[in-house]
Amino acid sequence: ELKVEQNPLFLSMQEGKNYTIYCNYSTTSDRLYWYRQDPGKSLESLFVLLSNGAVKQEGRLMASLDTKARLSTLHITAAVHDLSATYFCAVDGSNYQLIWGAGTKLIIKP
Amino acid sequence: DAGVIQSPRHEVTEMGQEVTLRCKPISGHNSLFWYRQTMMRGLELLIYFNNNVPIDDSGMPEDRFSAKMPNASFSTLKIQPSEPRDSAVYFCASSFVAADTQYFGPGTRLTVL
């Protein structure tokens, strides 16, 4: 059974700091997704990573994928308050369903 | 593009009543997913359709839940009878093909009293 684990599940940090969220998955998967959810809002797609060594960047967020280690990271550079949200990773499971991590709630304090 | 459309956005009902949630996927998308999100259980896939055909409904909690997709532009999720434990946010998502980025609707916040 494919499992996806995120850590940490909760992160409180100061503006201007750097931090990394980790996403581990248990079996081989073709692609990995990162989503963002603001409180009370829907989920928004951030990145899709398709191959080993893939790196994508959008503003202060950078995602990478290591398929051999079954690990993806979401790195936040010089965090700002607007990045406060819950971040989910997900991987393709059987039957083309997405298997979701539990989410990382990120709070960035001014 | 209007994105995935869901209605209603909020629904408050009493236990035992029938609830119908509606979803219009993005035009041209062939896959549609219904999710439920709660604090306790997180995001759960209830059912997914490909080309209007239900592919996997193993996440549907019990017989009180049913879903249909009569055409490529409309799907419903029905709960009959509703119970307080069904209170959650229900999301509909669609994708161009099954193994692709899913685009989520705004969700329906359901409260069953």
Side-chain angles (χ1 to χ4, degrees):
Chain A
E1 180 187 354
L2 177 57
K3 293 184 179 180
V4 179
E5 293 185 351
Q6 288 183 236
N7 70 84
L9 297 182
F10 179 81
L11 177 58
S12 179
M13 55 193 293
Q14 295 292 128
E15 276 191 328
K17 300 292 187 181
N18 303 332
Y19 209 81
T20 301
I21 300 171
Y22 297 89
C23 176
N24 291 273
Y25 52 100
S26 58
T27 61
T28 303
S29 182
D30 291 337
R31 62 185 74 193
L32 188 137
Y33 306 81
W34 284 98
Y35 284 79
R36 168 181 173 152
Q37 185 177 33
D38 292 318
K41 303 294 185 180
S42 186
L43 283 82
E44 174 189 358
S45 174
L46 291 174
F47 303 109
V48 54
L49 303 169
L50 301 176
S51 60
N52 188 43
V55 177
K56 290 197 173 179
Q57 183 164 5
E58 176 85 23
R60 300 173 187 273
L61 299 177
M62 183 174 70
S64 65
L65 178 62
D66 181 343
T67 57
K68 294 179 181 178
R70 297 175 186 162
L71 171 69
S72 180
T73 60
L74 181 65
H75 187 73
I76 303 145
T77 301
V80 293
H81 179 67
D82 286 352
L83 291 179
S84 296
T86 298
Y87 293 86
F88 292 91
C89 66
V91 299
D92 282 336
S94 60
N95 242 357
Y96 302 109
Q97 298 176 22
L98 290 186
I99 310 299
W100 294 84
T104 296
K105 185 173 184 177
L106 176 63
I107 295 176
I108 300 170
K109 301 177 181 179
Chain B
D1 196 328
V4 176
I5 298 172
Q6 290 187 249
S7 65
R9 295 291 304 277
H10 302 273
E11 177 82 25
V12 180
T13 191
E14 293 188 346
M15 183 173 63
Q17 296 298 305
E18 178 179 297
V19 175
T20 299
L21 311 182
R22 297 172 176 80
C23 175
K24 176 178 169 56
I26 293 172
S27 177
H29 281 192
N30 295 321
S31 296
L32 183 140
F33 306 81
W34 282 101
Y35 289 92
R36 178 172 67 177
Q37 187 177 40
T38 61
M39 289 293 293
M40 291 297 294
R41 300 176 67 91
L43 192 65
E44 302 173 277
L45 177 66
L46 300 177
I47 187 170
Y48 111 78
F49 294 85
N50 194 46
N51 292 321
N52 312 338
V53 175
I55 302 300
D56 188 344
D57 65 355
S58 60
M60 297 285 262
E62 48 198 272
D63 292 345
R64 298 184 297 107
F65 285 69
S66 62
K68 294 182 179 180
M69 192 166 185
N71 57 62
S73 59
F74 184 64
S75 178
T76 59
L77 178 68
K78 185 177 294 186
I79 308 172
Q80 165 63 15
S82 58
E83 296 183 2
R85 60 190 168 125
D86 301 331
S87 297
V89 179
Y90 291 81
F91 288 106
C92 174
S94 71
S95 61
F96 182 61
V97 293
D100 199 1
T101 300
Q102 294 179 18
Y103 295 88
F104 282 72
T108 296
R109 183 173 296 275
L110 174 64
T111 303
V112 184
L113 304 175

